[in-house]
Amino acid sequence: QGEVSYRSFRTELAPRDRQLDLAAQWNRSLPLGEFRLGAVWSHWPGHRDVLGPQLTALGGWRWSF
């Protein structure tokens, strides 16, 4: 019917604490390139506590030609 509804509010976007990251990486040189494995643990206390800490696994192959 042409009616527009809206609501305004204010919120703080800056986190209350710092982000914590811990990373580990392992590389292995091979005749045809380099094999890489890694992991990253991230935690956002006071900002994204609902998700809790997150663990990310990484893997890759580097090949130069």
Side-chain angles (χ1 to χ4, degrees), residues 35-54:
F35 183 61
R36 297 175 172 195
L37 292 175
V40 179
W41 177 84
S42 295
H43 184 56
W44 304 272
H47 185 56
R48 292 178 65 181
D49 283 334
V50 175
L51 296 177
Q54 293 183 336

Side-chain angles (χ1 to χ4, degrees), residues 2-54:
E3 184 177 326
V4 177
S5 299
Y6 69 92
R7 179 174 50 158
S8 64
F9 63 93
R10 292 179 184 242
T11 185
E12 181 66 40
L13 296 178
R16 292 186 301 256
D17 294 315
R18 293 180 182 255
Q19 177 177 333
L20 305 173
D21 290 324
L22 178 63
Q25 184 175 353
W26 177 80
N27 300 339
R28 175 74 178 191
S29 293
L30 299 171
L32 295 176
E34 183 179 51
F35 183 61
R36 297 175 172 195
L37 292 175
V40 179
W41 177 84
S42 295
H43 184 56
W44 304 272
H47 185 56
R48 292 178 65 181
D49 283 334
V50 175
L51 296 177
Q54 293 183 336

